[in-house]
Amino acid sequence: MSNRSTVYAGVGLVTLCVLLTLSLTTGEMSIPATTALRALVGLGDAGDVLVVQQFRAPRCAAAIIAGAGLGAAGCVLQRLFRNPLASPDVMGVTGGASLGAVALIAAGASQTLIPVGALGGGLLSALLLGVFAWRSGLAVTRLVLTGLAVQAALAAAVNLMIVRFPAELAGSALQWTTGSVYGRTWTQVWGAGGAMVLALAVALVLHRRLAVLDLGDDSAGALGLNTSTARLQLLLIAVILASLAAALAGPVTFVALAVPHIVRFVTGPPTAVSLALASLTGAVLLLGSDLVVQHLLPVEGLPVGAVTATLGAPWLLVLMFRQSSPVRRSHA
């Protein structure tokens, strides 16, 4: 690990601890930091323990886990497609997750089952993407174009379902599809968290294949790597990471798009360490955004996805401008 990466990791961990402390101590009922930490392990006043353990801590954990998954997923996708605009939004994962969750809401399923529907929807979108793009040998350009088509189709299906919902269900569905960590339970957190740890471990193992793919298909094939299989494996693990994040926090935008750029800007060219740093950055970004939603905005009940989407729009425009500017200069 380079010196810059070490410093970045240290700053990220300190920032995450500060944000976590603020999340546990601030709210309608302020709790001193030492009291909140004691309450987190079940010590102290019963009211403090209830607020910290059952309301604030699961929300914080959900934001950290979902942010870590989104950061890692964006890191893998952008390097896999060699495209700075690649993200789970582009590849249809968020559209699939939204469709799965909204379908269960329409069926009147329990709130605890909605994340399962989101996970299934995200994996379904990956299956559709793989089926449609397989004939091209999983070429990068075809995958991106197919992902955009899948995302557009799934988003249209979600909008149609919401429009036809009864009024009492439409609000709930619309809030979920924006992205939120409000009301998460420890059951949801432990389930998604355990799966996320396994998925991140697999991503770290597979990450070496990205370095081989960076050499080009001919060179990678000469080294004995089946490029189509490697791309499919990397795509699948990125989709699983994003789907688990969506199952826990809904289809939160911007995080997976921005995090890889932040990590590259600070630490330099991507390595296996970059994946871990992307997870840390995603956790910091989503937890920080949730703090902004709770305490700095005048509108109550605003989902965290509204903040990330607001940040993501200008970010996307800047990226597109940077991508197109060399082309414009070349024609000048």
Side-chain angles (χ1 to χ4, degrees), residues 1-9 12 67-68 70-76 78-79 84 207 254-285 315 319 322:
M1 183 185 292
S2 66
N3 291 334
R4 285 193 297 177
S5 297
T6 301
V7 172
Y8 185 85
L70 289 171
C75 185
V76 172
Q78 288 188 15
R79 191 172 179 190
H207 199 265
F254 172 67
V255 176
L257 175 66
V259 163
H261 294 275
I262 297 172
V263 174
R264 281 197 300 271
F265 178 78
V266 177
T267 65
T271 63
V273 175
S274 301
L275 189 64
L277 294 178
S279 297
L280 175 61
T281 306
V284 169
L285 186 57
W315 184 281
L319 286 178
R322 291 182 60 187

Side-chain angles (χ1 to χ4, degrees), residues 208-219:
R208 294 182 179 180
R209 302 186 182 187
L210 284 171
V212 181
L213 289 173
D214 286 343
L215 301 175
D217 287 0
D218 292 339
S219 299

Side-chain angles (χ1 to χ4, degrees), residues 159-195:
N159 290 334
L160 179 62
M161 293 178 67
I162 291 178
V163 168
R164 298 184 64 87
F165 272 178
E168 62 272 13
L169 292 179
S172 175
L174 188 59
Q175 183 181 35
W176 195 95
T177 56
T178 307
S180 175
V181 290
Y182 173 76
R184 295 301 175 259
T185 65
W186 281 118
T187 301
Q188 295 170 339
V189 167
W190 285 117

Side-chain angles (χ1 to χ4, degrees), residues 69 72-74 76-77 80 123 126 195-207 210 230-244 275:
V76 172
L77 288 175
L80 176 62
L123 295 177
M196 188 70 79
V197 169
L198 292 176
L200 286 171
V202 173
L204 286 170
V205 172
L206 294 177
H207 199 265
L210 284 171
R231 283 199 183 96
L232 183 61
Q233 291 172 337
L234 289 162
L235 176 63
L236 180 60
I237 195 62
V239 167
I240 290 174
L241 287 167
S243 297
L244 287 170
L275 189 64

